[in-house]
Structures are given as C-alpha cells and as structure tokens.
Amino acid sequence: MQTYSYYQKIFKATPTPFAFVDMDILDQNISAIKQRAGTKKIRIASKSIRSVGILSYILNSDPQFEGLMCYAISEALWLAGLGFDNLLVAYPSVNPAHLKGACEAVRSGKKIYLMTDSSEHLRILNQIAEKEGVVLPICVDIDMSMRFLGIHFGVHRSPISQIADLETYLKTLETCKGLRLVGLMGYEAQLAGLGDNMPSKWLMNRIIRMLQAISLKEVIKRRAEMVACIEKKGIRLEFVNGGGTGSLENTSLEACVTEVAAGSGFYSPTLFDNYTKF
C-alpha cells in the first residue's frame, strides 16, 4: 500500500502545484470495476475523472467500457470535438445555444443523448430540434429515491417516479416529431452514493443498511416497470443506464439494465472507505 510519504519522497523536487496518477493503481481499479460490473457495459462519468488522457486510457483499456456520461451539454460538445462519441448528458438543459450546438453535432453524426424529465423539457427541445431540422436522441431520467415513514431516502433527481408520471411524459413525446427516446437512466443514489460503514456510527450504519435493503427491492421493481411501460408504447430503447461506483454489484444483476455508470471508483477516493461492498 502506497502512503503519502511514499509519494512525497518521489515528488520532492517537483514544483507545486501539480497532479499525478499512479497508473499501476489505476489499472488495479479498472480491473476491479470490470469485475464488479459483471457482463454489463460501463459508461464512464467524466465529472469524476476530469482528465481527457485518463478518459481515453480507460475507454481503450477494454471494450466493456463504452461511452461517457457528461455533466453538461457544453462539456459533451467539447469532448465530441476532441473525438469522443456516445455521450450521455446526465442533467437536463434548456440553454438555447447549447441545444443548437447539440443539434449541429447530431447532424454531423455524433451520438449525443440529451437528458429530459418533464413535458416542459420535451417541448423546449422539440421546438429547437424542429427549427434545426434534426431529430434529437433523448434519455428519460427516472427518479429512484424512496420515502419511508416520512423519510426521503435518496436524491430527488426527477419528477418521474411513478408509472402515471411516465405516461404523461410519453403522451407529450408523441407530439414531438423532433425527438426520439432512445435511453432510460435511473440513478439510485441511496445505494450508489451512501456509505454504510461509517466509523463510530454503529446505529446509523445499521439503519442505512436496513433502508438500503428495502430500497433495493423497490429500485429493481420500479426500473423494470418503467422500461416495460416504454416498450409497450412500441419504443425500443438503445440503453438502460443505472447504478454508480457504490452499487455496481447489485445494478449489474438487473435484467433490464444494459449498462452501469462508474467514475469515482477509478480513483478510489477515501469516500469509499465507508462502503462495505467497495
């Protein structure tokens, strides 16, 4: 195990500030993430990597790594300009200039998938897409957070948490000729982003593990029902994305999931010292 003093000695004569990556340990982390993801494709979260060189290195390391999850449309367009493709934008945007740029990139043949979670998003994107004369591929964001006895467990990412919400969304989509639904994303933050082994918090850890066990069953059920609802409308999804570094083992077992997301795990920050499954 490498320690701070180990690297301090190596970089003693290196002017600060600087950044470095221990490639041997990165390779170990890449291998571990592949193993934890099973047979599922792995989409890399660019916001956690923040290095074009490392993104390329991971993508080229194995065919199991396919595509990037970007933070914003502007970032996706920048990465597309550098030669990257299969770019899923993780958060909705209604910025006209960015949406026009996405239309131009799609027109040129790039695969850029824009996130949506409401009828309002659909109408705004469709108006620009029709004006630009393109059909934008979009992804629907399904909320995976839960409520237990008045406790909101997870992260509220989307207003679409029930089948009725999705049906309203799909009804609006039918009127949007400039949009094509190709993906579904459901990020279960309460499983992927919440440690269950925090030091000196025995009771809290027990409560979190109990809630996570209950939540896991609901997550599996909700995601499968949402995918089935979309397929009943005759829509063929190109991908169903779920999970994160902290929940790869569970999410990769879901039959409807085609790919899992991972980012932080490639660097393995101390955040994950408090995860029993990491």
Side-chain angles (χ1 to χ4, degrees):
M1 179 179 179
Q2 313 299 16
T3 62
Y4 176 77
S5 58
Y6 169 82
Y7 295 111
Q8 187 180 41
K9 182 178 180 181
I10 292 175
F11 296 114
K12 185 177 181 180
T14 303
T16 57
F18 69 93
F20 76 94
V21 175
D22 187 318
M23 299 303 289
D24 292 331
I25 295 180
L26 176 63
D27 286 338
Q28 292 175 24
N29 292 342
I30 290 173
S31 179
I33 285 178
K34 283 171 49 185
Q35 183 177 4
R36 294 175 63 223
T39 60
K40 302 296 185 182
K41 291 290 186 179
I42 303 168
R43 187 177 293 273
I44 305 169
S46 61
K47 71 179 180 62
S48 299
I49 304 301
R50 298 173 184 251
S51 165
V52 169
I54 299 299
L55 286 174
S56 295
Y57 184 83
I58 298 171
L59 282 171
N60 293 329
S61 69
D62 193 283
Q64 190 171 354
F65 297 106
E66 187 175 276
L68 302 179
M69 179 181 288
C70 304
Y71 185 81
I73 295 177
S74 54
E75 180 202 9
L77 294 176
W78 178 67
L79 289 169
L82 295 177
F84 291 91
D85 204 0
N86 192 351
L87 304 161
L88 171 63
V89 181
Y91 301 93
S93 172
V94 294
N95 182 296
H98 294 170
L99 291 174
K100 183 178 179 180
C103 290
E104 294 171 354
V106 169
R107 187 185 296 116
S108 71
K110 285 291 184 178
K111 292 182 179 179
I112 297 181
Y113 309 111
L114 302 184
M115 193 63 63
T116 58
D117 64 21
S118 69
S119 295
E120 288 78 6
H121 287 152
L122 294 177
R123 295 188 186 100
I124 293 172
L125 267 64
N126 183 66
Q127 183 179 22
I128 293 177
E130 289 192 342
K131 184 178 180 180
E132 293 295 320
V134 301
V135 177
L136 284 175
I138 62 172
C139 179
V140 59
D141 191 357
I142 304 300
D143 193 78
M144 291 286 119
S145 61
M146 308 291 165
R147 280 198 171 274
F148 300 114
L149 301 175
I151 300 173
H152 190 94
F153 191 52
V155 175
H156 181 63
R157 283 186 53 99
S158 166
I160 302 176
S161 61
Q162 305 296 326
I163 291 295
D165 303 325
L166 180 59
E167 289 178 338
T168 298
Y169 169 96
L170 293 174
K171 187 174 182 179
T172 302
L173 180 63
E174 291 176 357
T175 67
C176 300
K177 306 305 179 184
L179 305 179
R180 180 169 62 95
L181 181 62
V182 299
L184 177 147
M185 185 183 81
Y187 175 58
E188 59 275 27
Q190 67 272 28
L191 302 178
L194 183 62
D196 63 347
N197 192 31
M198 295 174 285
S200 303
K201 293 187 178 181
W202 177 85
L203 180 58
M204 180 60 70
N205 291 333
R206 288 291 299 270
I207 294 173
I208 289 175
R209 290 172 196 167
M210 179 190 69
L211 291 176
Q212 286 180 332
I214 298 172
S215 182
L216 176 60
K217 295 178 181 179
E218 176 62 27
V219 162
I220 294 172
K221 179 175 177 287
R222 183 181 301 181
R223 189 149 38 211
E225 289 178 345
M226 294 291 187
V227 171
C229 177
I230 292 172
E231 291 178 343
K232 285 180 182 178
K233 299 291 185 180
I235 299 173
R236 180 182 175 275
L237 295 175
E238 295 178 11
F239 64 89
V240 176
N241 179 283
T245 293
S247 65
L248 292 178
E249 292 90 349
N250 292 327
T251 311
S252 63
L253 296 177
E254 294 183 42
C256 70
V257 171
T258 65
E259 64 176 42
V260 291
S264 301
F266 293 106
Y267 292 154
S268 294
T270 55
L271 165 70
F272 295 106
D273 290 351
N274 300 323
Y275 282 66
T276 54
K277 289 186 178 181
F278 189 76

